[in-house]
Amino acid sequence: MSLAFSRWLPGLLLSAALPALAYAEGPEYGPQLQGFEYPYTVKHFAFESQGESLQMGYMDVAAEGKANGRSVVLMHGKNFCGATWDTSIKALSKAGYRVIAPDQIGFCTSSKPAHYQYSFQQLATNTQQLLKALGIQKATLLGHSTGGMLATRYALQYPEQVDQLAMVNPIGLEDWKALGVPYRTVDQWYERELKVTAQGIRDYERSTYYDGRWKPEYDRWVDMYAGLAKGPGKTQVAWNSALIYDMIFTQPVYYEFKDLKVPTLLLIGTSDTTAIGKDIAPPQVKAKIGHYEVLGKEVAKLIPQSSLVEFPGMGHAPQMEEPEKFHQALLAWLSKTNSVP
């Protein structure tokens, strides 16, 4: 197993209050996000999986000042990348933590294999191999959105290697298929992903993630996602995205929250309404899914050693909406539940 190195390169803006304004389509990026700038140097972990030679992009940021000897692994969401953790990496590093922020296979700066059986177990295994190669035996996990589902699976799969688990507006706090959301085939997801545009991403995120609000700094992340989706590798990006959506929909972690054995923090923006397949759900189903002001409280009761911090009025990414408030809550909990390294 080898560690190979490389790096890449962002940008843009607009105002929230004028929904009628068209969003200018931004730049195009390569299949591994070549051309988009990350906040820290991107390295690549080379490994074999399912007969494929793969590369997993990641940032490994040392603690600033006095190191506390602890590591935090950041797990990004479906429409996000390691780069979107920029303010969290800075806050955690400043607090003395070593921070590892990987891009999972199929995402961002990592490989987009033509044939890959996606599962949260496989992604957890890939991440565990990366941490082993980096000499990290035990870590705290912080997962956002889909990364919350992955962090949950990782903590269930490798409980002895996890100090603490924190999740930011994780999806999968409910089982959509069991609640009546129709199944989309991989081919249907693929056709949908081929049509992704910056305007569509922005409209979806503003309505679903941010309760109708928008900040100019979010446009950088729209450009990132849209630029990857329309770049020279757009078909392989769309295909991997389709496989990943199928994984998310068909592999719930909801039923296993009760089995978590580590201290767990739920950080919930209560205005979030994210739910996979909501756009094709019957009206009666659509009305009852994606209510984070309820889901956070319900799941906190299922997890044995849980704590819940709610951010009233915030959406899907409180770490991006109000970084200072978010990191104050996160760091206070990490400090309070720290075990001896």
Side-chain angles (χ1 to χ4, degrees):
M1 218 163 274
S2 63
L3 292 173
F5 298 85
S6 71
R7 74 175 292 170
W8 319 111
L9 275 111
L12 242 151
L13 95 80
L14 196 77
S15 146
L18 301 171
L21 281 180
Y23 180 82
E25 295 294 320
E28 295 182 4
Y29 299 118
Q32 288 183 239
L33 254 188
Q34 294 94 331
F36 184 86
E37 185 178 14
Y38 267 49
Y40 301 90
T41 299
V42 175
K43 304 175 183 179
H44 277 83
F45 171 59
F47 67 106
E48 298 288 324
S49 176
Q50 300 184 22
E52 301 255 12
S53 295
L54 303 175
Q55 287 196 332
M56 190 174 180
Y58 69 96
M59 292 175 283
D60 183 357
V61 182
E64 279 186 30
K66 187 178 179 182
N68 61 18
R70 305 180 67 80
S71 299
V72 179
V73 179
L74 307 181
M75 297 181 170
H76 60 78
K78 170 66 180 68
N79 299 335
F80 300 82
C81 292
T84 52
W85 285 112
D86 57 350
T87 60
S88 297
I89 295 172
K90 186 174 182 180
L92 287 161
S93 173
K94 193 174 179 180
Y97 294 90
R98 178 184 180 182
V99 185
I100 313 298
D103 285 332
Q104 296 298 325
I105 295 300
F107 294 85
C108 312
T109 64
S110 294
S111 299
K112 314 289 186 306
H115 305 285
Y116 205 64
Q117 178 65 52
Y118 278 100
S119 69
F120 286 113
Q121 285 91 339
Q122 179 67 71
L123 298 184
T125 300
N126 298 346
T127 307
Q128 194 267 350
Q129 289 179 343
L130 167 65
L131 297 184
K132 185 177 179 181
L134 294 175
I136 297 172
Q137 297 178 343
K138 203 166 189 180
T140 290
L141 308 180
L142 176 59
H144 171 230
S145 191
T146 298
M149 293 183 78
L150 175 56
T152 298
R153 178 57 59 204
Y154 192 107
L156 290 165
Q157 202 162 320
Y158 305 107
E160 71 289 348
Q161 297 176 31
V162 178
D163 272 325
Q164 303 147 300
L165 169 63
M167 294 186 280
V168 190
N169 282 72
I171 61 170
L173 299 182
E174 55 193 341
D175 180 354
W176 308 290
K177 59 179 172 39
L179 293 170
V181 175
Y183 176 69
R184 254 192 187 109
T185 66
V186 171
D187 291 324
Q188 288 170 330
W189 277 118
Y190 177 61
E191 290 302 318
R192 181 179 181 268
E193 290 302 285
L194 285 174
K195 298 171 185 172
V196 161
T197 65
Q199 182 67 52
I201 294 165
R202 188 176 188 273
D203 291 345
Y204 167 76
E205 292 187 355
R206 181 168 59 182
S207 64
T208 304
Y209 289 0
Y210 303 115
D211 199 24
R213 302 180 303 275
W214 195 258
K215 291 183 179 180
E217 52 265 37
Y218 302 158
D219 287 320
R220 179 186 175 196
W221 311 123
V222 172
D223 283 345
M224 175 191 71
Y225 179 14
L228 184 64
K230 69 180 181 179
K234 63 184 178 183
T235 56
Q236 66 194 100
V237 168
W239 180 248
N240 277 263
S241 183
L243 294 174
I244 290 163
Y245 269 123
D246 190 70
M247 171 188 73
I248 294 168
F249 188 80
T250 61
Q251 299 177 28
V253 296
Y254 173 77
Y255 305 103
E256 295 166 86
F257 285 130
K258 63 181 175 51
D259 300 322
L260 285 167
K261 294 178 170 61
V262 297
T264 302
L265 174 65
L266 289 165
L267 297 142
I268 304 293
T270 62
S271 292
D272 189 7
T273 59
T274 305
I276 300 298
K278 191 175 183 178
D279 57 317
I280 57 171
Q284 68 275 20
V285 175
K286 187 179 296 187
K288 66 182 180 182
I289 59 177
H291 297 292
Y292 275 76
E293 76 281 7
V294 175
L295 292 171
K297 295 180 180 71
E298 288 181 345
V299 172
K301 293 175 184 175
L302 299 177
I303 299 172
Q305 302 177 61
S306 71
S307 300
L308 172 65
V309 173
E310 293 183 313
F311 299 98
M314 289 195 213
H316 191 60
Q319 78 277 22
M320 294 158 70
E321 281 194 83
E322 298 288 349
E324 198 170 318
K325 189 178 292 186
F326 173 85
H327 294 119
Q328 185 178 14
L330 172 65
L331 290 169
W333 181 81
L334 290 178
S335 176
K336 185 175 68 175
T337 59
N338 268 354
S339 59
V340 179

